[in-house]
């Protein structure tokens, strides 16, 4: 028994997020079928003809329309520039005092930091202009172009400072080097985008089936779990 338990524990430990949410989706499909038989009209079966048609018609749509997909992609592009340039590695070494920075690295770090500071000042200053285009037409922050484009604004600022650092230390010699930097973290985090696909399919299937409402699980709880499931795998 102890050997069996250790093997099961090892398998559970090695279970990745994509497989986990795939199995949960299968469970939702199974219980939606059971619920449609015994739960009346409150539950829709994913295994029925109508449920299969819905699944096939919404798999791609649900994934590409997930806010986390665009948000994470844009952030990774900006952060990736700094990673490829060695900007964050230099900051880490400076904070931990692991190894002295070269003269070129110190100059690059200073120029990149000043660039980022100036970028923040420009964004903040834009709010003070009478013709401020970052706020909504009524002068509100929510909704506004700034609120909708905040992720891009943050990513752009991080990317520009990374470009400055990379240019000074000769990590970036051509624009192709910058583009490669934008894609480096996307490639490293490919596992995340696969996991996100299965996360989205699970929660969209759960919403269609009506099992959460049938089990009297509040919508707020489901939304919180959805957002956590979308972003937490990024930390893995």
């Amino acid at each position: 028994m102890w050997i069996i338990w250790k093997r099961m524990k090892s398998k559970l430990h090695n279970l990745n997020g994509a497989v986990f949410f795939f199995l949960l989706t299968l469970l939702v499909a199974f219980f939606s079928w059971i619920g449609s038989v015994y739960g009346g009209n409150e539950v829709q079966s994913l295994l029925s003809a109508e449920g299969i048609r819905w699944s096939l018609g919404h798999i791609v749509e649900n994934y590409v329309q997930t806010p986390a997909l665009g948000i994470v992609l844009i952030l990774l592009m900006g952060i990736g520039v700094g990673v490829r340039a060695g900007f964050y590695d230099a900051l880490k070494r400076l904070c931990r005092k692991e190894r002295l920075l070269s003269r070129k690295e110190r100059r690059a770090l200073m120029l990149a930091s000043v660039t980022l500071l100036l970028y923040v000042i420009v964004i903040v200053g834009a709010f003070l202009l009478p013709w401020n285009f970052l706020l909504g037409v009524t002068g509100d922050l929510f909704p506004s172009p700034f609120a909708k484009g905040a992720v891009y604004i943050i990513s752009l600022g991080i990317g520009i400072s990374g470009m400055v650092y990379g240019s000074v230390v000769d990590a970036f010699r051509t624009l192709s080097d910058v583009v490669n930097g934008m894609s480096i973290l996307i490639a490293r985090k490919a596992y995340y985008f696969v996991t996100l696909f299965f996360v989205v399919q699970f929660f969209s299937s759960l919403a269609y089936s009506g099992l959460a409402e049938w089990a009297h699980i509040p919508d707020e709880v489901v939304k919180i779990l959805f957002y956590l499931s979308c972003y937490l795998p990024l930390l893995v």
Side-chain angles (χ1 to χ4, degrees):
M1 288 295 293
W2 174 250
I3 296 176
I4 296 175
W5 165 247
K6 288 191 68 176
R7 288 179 178 176
M8 290 180 60
K9 187 177 180 181
S10 177
K11 290 181 179 180
L12 289 173
H13 178 73
N14 294 325
L15 185 66
N16 61 50
V19 175
F20 176 71
F21 281 101
F22 172 70
L23 294 177
L24 286 181
T25 304
L26 293 181
L27 286 176
V28 167
F30 175 74
F31 283 112
S32 69
W33 172 65
I34 297 296
S36 65
V37 175
Y38 298 101
N41 297 326
E42 296 181 33
V43 181
Q44 301 183 88
S45 174
L46 286 161
L47 300 179
S48 65
E50 183 180 352
I52 293 173
R53 282 195 294 268
W54 176 88
S55 297
L56 294 176
H58 291 81
I59 286 178
V60 176
E61 178 184 345
N62 289 334
Y63 184 54
V64 298
Q65 291 183 357
T66 303
L69 180 62
I71 290 173
V72 172
L73 276 172
I74 292 174
L75 284 177
L76 289 182
M77 283 191 284
I79 298 172
V81 175
V83 171
R84 174 66 176 77
F87 183 28
Y88 308 120
D89 180 64
L91 283 174
K92 183 177 68 174
R93 286 189 281 122
L94 180 66
C95 295
R96 295 182 179 180
K97 298 181 180 179
E98 296 176 347
R99 180 163 57 88
L100 292 177
L101 299 177
S102 66
R103 185 176 180 180
K104 182 181 286 189
E105 288 175 327
R106 290 197 301 269
R107 184 170 70 251
L109 196 58
M110 182 186 67
L111 289 175
S113 300
V114 170
T115 300
L116 184 58
L117 178 61
L118 290 176
Y119 181 83
V120 173
I121 291 174
V122 169
I123 297 299
V124 174
F127 283 99
L128 305 178
L129 297 174
W131 44 271
N132 178 23
F133 52 86
L134 294 180
L135 295 177
V137 293
T138 59
D140 297 326
L141 183 59
F142 298 101
S144 69
F146 176 80
K148 293 180 178 179
V151 173
Y152 175 73
I153 291 173
I154 293 172
S155 182
L156 181 62
I158 295 173
I160 291 174
S161 61
M163 287 176 59
V164 171
Y165 182 90
S167 298
V168 176
V169 298
D170 295 327
F172 296 146
R173 297 180 181 273
T174 65
L175 288 178
S176 295
D177 294 332
V178 178
V179 174
N180 289 335
M182 295 173 67
S183 63
I184 188 172
L185 283 186
I186 296 176
R188 291 182 185 178
K189 294 293 184 179
Y191 163 85
Y192 164 77
F193 295 105
V194 175
T195 302
L196 181 64
F197 172 80
F198 288 103
V199 168
V200 172
Q201 301 317 313
F202 165 67
F203 280 97
S204 60
S205 298
L206 185 65
Y208 173 83
S209 68
L211 283 172
E213 293 84 352
W214 183 56
H216 302 293
I217 300 175
D219 289 341
E220 293 75 13
V221 174
V222 177
K223 288 181 180 178
I224 291 173
L225 291 174
F226 173 65
Y227 287 124
L228 289 175
S229 300
C230 282
Y231 293 104
L232 285 181
L234 189 63
L235 303 177
V236 178

